[in-house]
Amino acid sequence: MRRAQADLQVDMSDLSPEEQWRVEHARMHAKHRGHEAMHAEMVLILIATLVVAQLLLVQWKQRHPRSYNMVTLFQMWVVPLYFTVKLHWWRFLVIWIFFSAVTAFVTFRATRKPLVQTTPRLVYKWFLLIYKISYATGIVGYMAVMFTLFGLNLLFKIKPEDAMDFGISLLFYGLYYGVLERDFAEMCADYMASTIGFYSESGMPTKHLSDSVCAVCGQQIFVDVNEEGIIENTYRLSCNHVFHEFCIRGWCIVGKKQTCPYCKEKVDLKRMFSNPWERPHVMYGQLLDWLRYLVAWQPVIIGLVQGISYILGLE
């Protein structure tokens, strides 16, 4: 054992990066040799914690969805900030501060009473912009990763590690801000719809909806469903309630709502997005919903596992 460790005491400065990685890998194996039983216990603790945490989170979400969503949103917003400061990711920090400042202003406008007439469109325009940017950024990052895996980066004389770092960074930016944007948009949509009065999350609406009023923004509808609007078209759901096309798309895609803002009848998204080029936006939104768990709760669960292992002496 001592001879093996002595052989690994080499001058790292004289080695290439690949050779340095091999030496570090060999040192790690020498350090953990004979700890197989302890590693097995740590794996069992990890699996048990993941199962129990998942069950608790599902029950919490079903019984108290509002508090679950608020805590999840807070964690998604704060947890990456901790790692950013710790690892000195200043570029991410600058983007995070800019996004947080604008989103805070938009959220403040969405929660004011009485609601300014232009606020709903301001809210949906901002979050739709972030949604499209995150979607495009994620696609470019994914393509960069795949090009690197197939070796296409060599055609442009780009190192594999640089190309992979670029792709993963873009993929992370797109997915993270996509998840964060959708949760903020959902919260703002609930506040605005409740303030306007045509939507109530738990009960009946406080106002009667006229055929000439959009229940999402509360403004008049001037274009008939069968007419082609100059600025914006009008859309009728299967429940026969009509809305501004921009508003109902923002309600369903940006605000994550799949029911009519007035009667709560389920919206047929396939009928709304009949264009095949628009359907990936729906699938992308579903992917972001699934990633919320990984962004918000996975670091907490891993930290809990490390704490249990430390208490049991499994270092």
Side-chain angles (χ1 to χ4, degrees):
M1 181 70 176
R2 291 180 179 176
R3 182 180 178 181
Q5 292 179 346
D7 292 339
L8 294 176
Q9 298 298 324
V10 295
D11 189 0
M12 300 290 287
S13 61
D14 296 334
L15 303 178
S16 65
E18 184 177 354
E19 291 173 335
Q20 291 179 7
W21 180 85
R22 290 179 180 176
V23 171
E24 292 294 339
H25 192 66
R27 286 177 176 175
M28 184 187 69
H29 277 282
K31 180 179 179 180
H32 292 276
R33 187 177 291 116
H35 298 170
E36 289 79 6
M38 182 180 68
H39 294 164
E41 293 181 24
M42 296 175 69
V43 171
L44 290 176
I45 292 174
L46 174 62
I47 295 175
T49 305
L50 287 173
V51 172
V52 174
Q54 184 66 23
L55 293 175
L56 292 176
L57 289 174
V58 169
Q59 291 297 317
W60 183 13
K61 184 177 181 179
Q62 291 178 349
R63 296 175 184 271
H64 306 283
R66 190 176 184 85
S67 62
Y68 172 84
N69 291 332
M70 292 298 294
V71 173
T72 302
L73 176 59
F74 178 77
Q75 287 194 187
M76 283 194 305
W77 188 46
V78 172
V79 169
L81 180 63
Y82 166 76
F83 292 103
T84 297
V85 175
K86 183 178 181 180
L87 300 176
H88 304 137
W89 293 343
W90 305 125
R91 184 193 310 159
F92 179 87
L93 182 61
V94 171
I95 298 175
W96 184 90
I97 292 175
F98 173 77
F99 171 83
S100 299
V102 179
T103 301
F105 170 75
V106 172
T107 304
F108 175 80
R109 290 281 301 271
T111 54
R112 296 306 92 193
K113 294 182 181 181
L115 191 68
V116 180
Q117 293 182 354
T118 57
T119 296
R121 286 183 175 271
L122 170 67
V123 171
Y124 287 127
K125 281 182 179 179
W126 166 247
F127 288 118
L128 183 60
L129 173 64
I130 298 299
Y131 179 83
K132 290 182 177 180
I133 292 176
S134 69
Y135 182 78
T137 304
I139 291 295
V140 173
Y142 175 77
M143 292 176 61
V145 170
M146 296 306 297
F147 283 176
T148 305
L149 292 177
F150 285 106
L152 298 179
N153 58 291
L154 299 177
L155 298 176
F156 303 96
K157 298 181 180 181
I158 302 176
K159 295 181 180 179
E161 54 270 22
D162 294 338
M164 186 63 71
D165 289 344
F166 175 76
I168 293 177
S169 297
L170 288 183
L171 197 58
F172 171 76
Y173 277 103
L175 294 177
Y176 172 71
Y177 286 106
V179 172
L180 202 59
E181 160 269 325
R182 279 172 65 82
D183 276 13
F184 270 111
E186 182 183 22
M187 180 182 67
C188 291
D190 284 339
Y191 272 107
M192 291 188 302
S194 299
T195 301
I196 293 172
F198 294 116
Y199 172 81
S200 176
E201 189 174 357
S202 57
M204 295 295 293
T206 58
K207 292 182 180 180
H208 174 70
L209 179 64
S210 171
D211 291 338
S212 61
V213 175
C214 174
V216 177
C217 66
Q219 301 303 305
Q220 290 287 326
I221 296 176
F222 298 103
V223 180
D224 190 76
V225 176
N226 300 320
E227 296 179 359
E228 186 72 22
I230 299 176
I231 300 178
E232 183 178 28
N233 294 325
T234 301
Y235 188 85
R236 185 189 300 274
L237 297 179
S238 57
C239 58
N240 288 325
H241 292 127
V242 294
F243 307 89
H244 296 124
E245 186 176 21
F246 178 83
C247 292
I248 194 62
R249 284 173 176 262
W251 173 265
C252 293
I253 290 222
V254 181
K256 299 195 305 180
K257 306 295 185 183
Q258 296 186 14
T259 58
C260 172
Y262 184 71
C263 68
K264 296 189 177 69
E265 180 176 321
K266 188 172 179 59
V267 174
D268 186 3
L269 295 179
K270 292 182 179 180
R271 175 175 168 267
M272 178 180 294
F273 303 102
S274 56
N275 188 340
W277 293 104
E278 293 181 329
R279 291 183 182 177
H281 288 283
V282 179
M283 293 185 289
Y284 180 67
Q286 294 171 348
L287 172 64
L288 294 179
D289 290 339
W290 178 76
L291 287 172
R292 181 185 298 102
Y293 167 78
L294 297 179
V295 175
W297 294 107
Q298 198 69 12
V300 177
I301 294 175
I302 296 301
L304 182 61
V305 171
Q306 291 179 345
I308 295 174
S309 300
Y310 178 79
I311 293 174
L312 298 178
L314 302 175
E315 300 183 36

